[in-house]
Amino acid sequence: MRESLRHRAGRLMPAVLALGLLWMGHDLSRAQSQASNPAPSVDAAALYRQHCSTCHGEQRTGGMGPALLPESLARLRPAEALQVITQGRQATQMPGFGTQLSAAELGALASHIRTPVVPAPRWDEQDIRQSRLFHPAPANESATPLWKADPMNLFVVVEGGDHHISLVDGDRFEVITRFASRFALHGGPKFSPDGRYVYFGSRDGWITKYDLWRLRVVAEVRAGLNMRNVAVSADGQWIMAANYLPHTLALFDADLQLRRTYEARTLDGKSSSRVSAVYDAAPRQSFVVALKDIPELWEISYNPRAEPIHDGLVHDYKMGEAIAKPGFLGVRRTPLDEPLDDFFFDQSYRHVLGATRPKDVGPSGPGGSAGNATAQVIHLDARRKIADLPIAGMPHLGSGITFAWNGTTVLASPNLKDGAIDVIDMRTWKPVATVPTPGPGFFMRSHEKTRYAWTDSMMSPKAKDTLTLIDKQSLQPVAQVREPGKTLAHIEFTRDGRYALASVWEMDGAIIVYDATTLREIKRLPMSKPVGKYNVWNKITRSEGTSH
């Protein structure tokens, strides 16, 4: 009898253990799913009004705190949002609510901020003007820097981990100052032509003008509720912002006073679009604009002597019989087959090299398979597409670079989908090489005085810790640098090209300074997720090795 009981118990033990483990897994899963499946009895909207609206606004459009809209939080994982709500965010005024609210309530809030606001929030010219903050210079302020360094060899480092900016001396590799930025800067800072001022754009629409010499904020304005990037004109007189929400462009003077807005609409007004990107085309004295949802490329000239604009055909009565519109600050439209997501200029700025993001197409679609991205060349003067770029995968042309090769100029573009760099002859628009890399990447950089182009593989789970160096003459990978287990990305060079600075893209990250010839590590500066760094000289001179 005892043997029989022991035998039965032995048979039951695995089942009991499995049941226990199953219950533990269920309990953990239930805890982790609070943010995605909040309890139906929790009134998330009421919780938001009680605990969040004072700082983030009744419509979640932001106030003292950032906007909490799906468009603004696209890069923030649900688990990260829940962690911030629970624990707060260091070095900010965001408190944690973990001791005040239950797990179900925390999860409900985390889900609520990712739902669309109905009706959709508005942000018009009056809102923009009322948002502007201006800080006049102190009386008799000197027009000289407060620090001793080469003003053309400064690095502006965007630290995404705790939303700060570090200003770094590019000769001594020391931090000059560090200051808080707006939430989630995006699109890369842009400099005034003399390098004294820098303009930052945030995802929730704020533009900040900062004086690098006197180390102070000059002005701020909120251009929209969800913004892609900003551009600064070559003469330093105009600032343009590209918005996802609302569907507008906003034009400012150098001190961020609003001059006008543009609705991103078709000529007949029937369709509107998010604005993908705006960049300055310096030799043309114009801004060039890509639209996310409308197959058009816009050019807006800030040259007071710009030629008049003729929309439509001369016999087209509905389009205005080709009645001329002013060229200065007017919209010159180029029709396309597909909308562009991002783009790049050739050195003459006559051509735009644009990428179209994947869409649902059949087997006979672009590239012969469903969902492939395409790339194309648009002639800005002819106002039409002149070539298709034979780039497979998902090219990230906004981070492409150009350099001299075998008597011509070539474009090299990272790829968000494939472990390869496509190199294109910019005279014939034909491929000359495909350079293998350990995995798909986001950024590529070089400099006129270095023989290497550096690219990351940060989109690869296995190769995100590797930077690949490509010889610009042989077009072959010749070396690698690694930071095992970390994300290593975004190279920028010193003014003279002697040193390359890489980002350890982690919360406890760093800027690593490499000798650009020997690849020896020179110095390491601790940083909080340094998502990008930007050399003043390379940016204002439009170095061939940097994105524009």
Side-chain angles (χ1 to χ4, degrees):
M1 182 70 175
R2 218 175 274 145
E3 293 262 342
S4 176
L5 286 173
R6 194 179 297 121
H7 179 66
R8 288 180 187 174
R11 284 190 303 169
L12 285 171
M13 281 303 293
V16 172
L17 180 61
L19 190 61
L21 289 173
L22 181 64
W23 180 254
M24 287 173 62
H26 168 74
D27 194 47
L28 285 172
S29 175
R30 183 178 62 179
Q32 292 174 348
S33 66
Q34 293 287 356
S36 56
N37 298 292
S41 59
V42 175
D43 188 342
L47 283 173
Y48 177 85
R49 288 193 297 272
Q50 180 181 354
H51 297 287
C52 313
S53 61
T54 301
C55 293
H56 297 281
E58 289 287 342
Q59 285 197 299
R60 310 199 326 253
T61 55
M64 184 171 64
L68 299 178
L69 302 168
E71 299 89 346
S72 302
L73 302 175
R75 298 283 181 91
L76 187 69
R77 296 184 180 92
E80 293 173 331
L82 181 60
Q83 181 180 2
V84 171
I85 295 170
T86 304
Q87 301 177 8
R89 190 185 289 278
Q90 288 186 348
T92 74
Q93 297 183 58
M94 172 66 190
F97 293 91
T99 60
Q100 301 178 47
L101 303 177
S102 68
E105 290 171 328
L106 293 167
L109 271 178
S111 293
H112 179 68
I113 63 175
R114 305 184 81 85
T115 59
V117 174
V118 179
R122 298 176 59 84
W123 195 255
D124 57 25
E125 291 191 356
Q126 182 179 354
D127 295 313
I128 296 173
R129 289 192 171 95
Q130 290 178 347
S131 73
R132 181 174 177 264
L133 304 169
F134 182 68
H135 309 284
N140 302 317
E141 182 182 52
S142 172
T144 57
L146 290 170
W147 33 260
K148 295 186 181 301
D150 180 356
M152 293 292 104
N153 199 28
L154 299 178
F155 287 85
V156 171
V157 183
V158 177
E159 297 185 62
D162 59 359
H163 310 290
H164 276 71
I165 303 295
S166 285
L167 184 62
V168 175
D169 180 339
D171 293 307
R172 293 188 292 268
F173 303 117
E174 296 174 354
V175 175
I176 294 172
T177 191
R178 189 174 189 266
F179 58 94
S181 73
R182 289 282 178 175
F183 177 79
L185 299 186
H186 186 256
K190 302 298 189 294
F191 297 93
S192 62
D194 60 0
R196 174 172 177 173
Y197 301 100
V198 60
Y199 295 84
F200 302 101
S202 75
R203 283 192 176 276
D204 54 358
W206 283 96
I207 306 173
T208 301
K209 178 182 181 180
Y210 186 84
D211 187 340
L212 293 173
W213 290 10
R214 306 304 297 179
L215 305 181
R216 65 179 186 87
V217 172
V218 176
E220 290 189 294
V221 70
R222 193 173 191 185
L225 301 178
N226 183 242
M227 187 171 67
R228 289 296 291 170
N229 74 325
V230 297
V232 176
S233 63
D235 59 8
Q237 299 302 305
W238 303 98
I239 316 298
M240 183 167 276
N243 287 320
Y244 260 21
L245 182 69
H247 293 178
T248 59
L249 290 156
L251 182 68
F252 303 88
D253 67 15
D255 282 331
L256 301 182
Q257 297 183 95
L258 181 67
R259 293 310 183 192
R260 64 170 296 181
T261 58
Y262 300 79
E263 284 195 73
R265 288 190 172 274
T266 51
L267 197 57
D268 60 12
K270 292 181 178 179
S271 300
S272 71
S273 174
R274 296 166 291 174
V275 183
S276 296
V278 58
Y279 295 116
D280 176 55
R284 303 177 66 85
Q285 295 181 275
S286 66
F287 295 112
V288 177
V289 180
L291 304 177
K292 185 82 170 179
D293 311 302
I294 294 175
E296 294 180 356
L297 187 73
W298 288 8
E299 184 171 15
I300 299 174
S301 177
Y302 50 81
N303 181 354
R305 296 185 295 278
E307 294 182 1
I309 297 168
H310 299 270
D311 285 320
L313 303 173
V314 292
H315 61 274
D316 189 343
Y317 173 75
K318 292 182 179 179
M319 292 303 200
E321 278 289 290
I323 297 173
K325 298 178 182 178
F328 178 57
L329 301 183
V331 176
R332 194 179 302 272
R333 302 167 186 259
T334 296
L336 305 172
D337 296 329
E338 295 289 342
L340 297 184
D341 190 73
D342 207 351
F343 61 92
F344 185 80
F345 295 106
D346 69 349
Q347 290 92 336
S348 70
Y349 283 77
R350 285 193 297 270
H351 299 100
V352 161
L353 289 66
T356 298
R357 283 294 167 249
K359 59 185 183 302
D360 188 15
V361 296
S364 60
S369 62
N372 279 358
T374 62
Q376 53 191 293
V377 183
I378 297 101
H379 196 297
L380 286 173
D381 294 328
R383 294 169 66 183
R384 63 182 179 87
K385 184 181 82 170
I386 61 170
D388 287 307
L389 287 177
I391 301 178
M394 193 183 296
H396 189 220
L397 292 173
S399 285
I401 63 170
T402 61
F403 54 89
W405 178 81
N406 283 7
T408 187
T409 300
V410 294
L411 161 74
S413 171
N415 202 300
L416 302 175
K417 183 179 178 182
D418 299 327
I421 300 293
D422 287 298
V423 184
I424 306 294
D425 186 331
M426 298 182 74
R427 183 174 51 198
T428 64
W429 308 117
K430 301 295 183 184
V432 296
T434 298
V435 185
T437 63
F442 199 88
F443 298 107
M444 190 172 189
R445 292 289 185 269
S446 188
H447 190 277
E448 297 88 344
K449 296 182 180 179
T450 179
R451 61 182 292 184
Y452 303 124
W454 299 54
T455 189
D456 62 62
S457 294
M458 66 176 295
M459 311 301 287
S460 166
K462 295 182 179 179
K464 66 179 184 178
D465 59 1
T466 303
L467 288 171
T468 300
L469 281 71
I470 299 167
D471 187 292
K472 292 192 292 187
Q473 291 309 305
S474 69
L475 301 183
Q476 294 294 318
V478 293
Q480 291 181 340
V481 295
R482 296 186 65 229
E483 189 71 10
K486 307 287 187 180
T487 298
L488 191 61
H490 197 277
I491 284 287
E492 177 66 295
F493 288 82
T494 51
R495 173 182 179 176
D496 57 11
R498 290 181 58 195
Y499 299 99
L501 281 65
S503 289
V504 179
W505 200 305
E506 307 287 345
M507 295 298 288
D508 57 344
I511 296 295
I512 305 177
V513 182
Y514 294 101
D515 184 300
T517 302
T518 66
L519 311 186
R520 182 173 63 90
E521 181 177 327
I522 303 298
K523 195 169 184 178
R524 185 173 294 231
L525 302 176
M527 299 274 176
S528 179
K529 198 175 183 180
V531 295
K533 71 212 75 65
Y534 307 87
N535 181 269
V536 172
W537 176 259
N538 291 341
K539 286 298 181 183
I540 67 175
T541 61
R542 292 173 166 79
S543 164
E544 71 171 17
T546 188
S547 61
H548 300 172

